[in-house]
Amino acid sequence: MTNKTLPLATHLKDVSQIAYGCMGLGGGWDSNPITDTEITQARNVIETALDAGINIFDHADIYTHTKAEQAFGKVLASSPALRDDMYIQSKCGIRFEDEMGVGRYDFSANWISQSVDGILERLNIEQLDVLLLHRPDPLMELDEVAETLHKIHAAGKVAHFGVSNMSGHQINFLQSALNLPIVANQVEMSLSKLDFFNDVVMVGTEGFNQGDITPGTMEYCRLNNIQIQAWGCLAQGKYSEKGLDSEFENVRLTTQYVMELAAKYQVPSEAIVLAFLLRHPANIQPVIGTTNLERIKASALATTIELTREEWYTLFVRSRGQRMP
């Protein structure tokens, strides 16, 4: 496969093309304390990912109610040398329903600041490589957020900042008040979530702007050297062998073709599903979330192949379930 340079490599040297998303670590989404079994699971995942060449780990303070970070931090506490081999990013800004109110987003100075302190403590590290603001807060005070991020950076708590689930317009608005570059935007993108690609081909066509994204977001990120990270990139295994039995024809046809390509390139189906994203010239960085060690290894093989233009379009059209406009 042609060696590609990720936009994030401008800031994080030798960052891997694939990231590992830690949402599945730490046990259930409850208040139960983490167990030795969950810490062992986190260690196995970390070691497997690193051995497979995946060196950036994606967290969020809400994942399994902070337990994903706790389990990860326990591993780093017992094996601090692992920190030298990885980049760590986390996210903040989402608040669950509590005695104060309903589930909500919070970019206030106090919430961001205390969130970062909590993340660092749970992960047992002194600095985050990247902090992402998790989802847009309608009540965001631009200058307040900018001042807070500048203070956190100056204190050495966070090296770089990014966002998640934001449009190009929202990123541009935030960047207007920051002296620091926004380095990443994490959005949902996969063979079953094609809005970013449909945004390109549907211009001037009936049905344009019917997706779940704001048009132009991918182009904005590319023009401004912002790493596009794809969450949900494996589509929850939809295009593994089980997809052959789907009730939806487009899923069956896509899965069939994924299997054909897997046989051609002699890689597992996960590698083909991710290769679809990696083939795009935006140098998309998939964020895998499986805790299955074999699927982690399989996913890493996506970087060893490059789909042809015809193969990419066949996957795209079959998954769309309709011809190109």
Side-chain angles (χ1 to χ4, degrees):
M1 180 176 181
T2 303
N3 186 34
K4 295 185 176 183
T5 301
L6 296 178
L8 200 54
T10 304
H11 311 282
L12 307 180
K13 184 180 178 181
D14 298 324
V15 65
S16 57
Q17 288 181 288
I18 295 174
Y20 183 80
C22 298
M23 187 171 67
L25 302 182
W29 290 67
D30 51 45
S31 58
N32 296 333
I34 57 173
T35 65
D36 289 341
T37 298
E38 289 151 4
I39 296 171
T40 298
Q41 179 196 48
R43 175 178 291 279
N44 291 337
V45 162
I46 292 170
E47 292 178 347
T48 299
L50 289 173
D51 287 344
I54 298 171
N55 66 3
I56 179 167
F57 295 84
D58 173 70
H59 284 273
D61 55 3
I62 63 167
Y63 289 168
T64 55
H65 292 276
T66 75
K67 292 188 297 179
E69 291 177 337
Q70 291 180 51
F72 200 97
K74 292 288 186 182
V75 175
L76 292 183
S78 62
S79 302
L82 287 172
R83 179 67 177 101
D84 298 331
D85 298 325
M86 65 175 66
Y87 296 108
I88 302 176
Q89 69 178 29
S90 192
K91 300 182 284 293
C92 72
I94 296 179
R95 299 183 65 171
F96 292 127
E97 181 176 358
D98 55 22
E99 67 280 359
M100 298 290 292
V102 298
R104 57 207 183 274
Y105 305 148
D106 192 341
F107 285 0
S108 66
N110 287 341
W111 186 255
I112 292 175
S113 296
Q114 72 179 54
S115 295
V116 169
D117 289 341
I119 289 167
L120 294 175
E121 180 178 3
R122 288 188 293 272
L123 288 172
N124 195 46
I125 59 176
E126 295 182 357
Q127 184 185 66
L128 270 178
D129 294 298
V130 185
L131 174 72
L132 306 183
L133 299 180
H134 207 158
R135 282 191 177 272
D137 174 14
L139 299 183
M140 178 184 77
E141 297 285 354
L142 180 61
D143 291 339
E144 178 183 353
V145 171
E147 181 181 1
T148 302
L149 298 187
H150 287 142
K151 285 182 178 179
I152 291 170
H153 177 75
K157 296 178 181 181
V158 175
H160 306 285
F161 295 96
V163 297
S164 182
N165 304 297
M166 285 198 186
S167 71
H169 302 303
Q170 292 167 322
I171 299 172
N172 191 32
F173 181 58
L174 179 59
Q175 185 66 79
S176 70
L178 285 176
N179 294 328
L180 304 164
I182 294 173
V183 303
N185 184 21
Q186 191 173 121
V187 295
E188 186 177 8
M189 188 183 295
S190 71
L191 263 176
S192 66
K193 187 68 173 178
L194 298 169
D195 293 318
F196 283 96
F197 310 118
N198 283 325
D199 178 39
V200 176
V201 302
M202 295 298 288
V203 171
T205 304
E206 183 178 357
F208 182 52
N209 285 353
Q210 290 184 1
D212 295 333
I213 67 163
T214 301
T217 294
M218 179 180 285
E219 289 79 5
Y220 177 86
C221 291
R222 294 181 68 182
L223 283 170
N224 290 277
N225 200 41
I226 297 171
Q227 180 67 61
I228 299 172
Q229 298 180 333
W231 65 267
C233 55
L234 286 171
Q236 298 182 323
K238 181 184 292 187
Y239 302 104
S240 61
E241 189 171 330
K242 67 181 182 181
L244 297 173
D245 298 321
S246 173
E247 63 180 300
F248 301 105
E249 182 182 27
N250 67 314
V251 174
R252 294 196 303 271
L253 291 175
T254 305
T255 302
Q256 181 182 13
Y257 193 57
V258 167
M259 298 294 111
E260 292 175 13
L261 292 175
K264 172 185 174 179
Y265 289 103
Q266 297 185 317
V267 294
S269 59
E270 292 89 349
I272 300 300
V273 172
L274 296 182
F276 173 75
L277 296 176
L278 293 177
R279 177 63 175 80
H280 195 277
N283 292 341
I284 297 162
Q285 184 178 51
V287 183
I288 64 171
T290 179
T291 56
N292 182 306
L293 302 185
E294 294 306 312
R295 292 193 77 197
I296 295 173
K297 297 175 188 177
S299 297
L301 293 175
T303 63
T304 67
I305 63 176
E306 182 168 356
L307 301 177
T308 67
R309 172 178 288 269
E310 290 70 28
E311 289 166 346
W312 188 91
Y313 266 99
T314 301
L315 287 169
F316 180 39
V317 172
R318 289 194 179 187
S319 187
R320 273 169 53 90
Q322 55 184 307
R323 294 180 179 180
M324 299 296 288

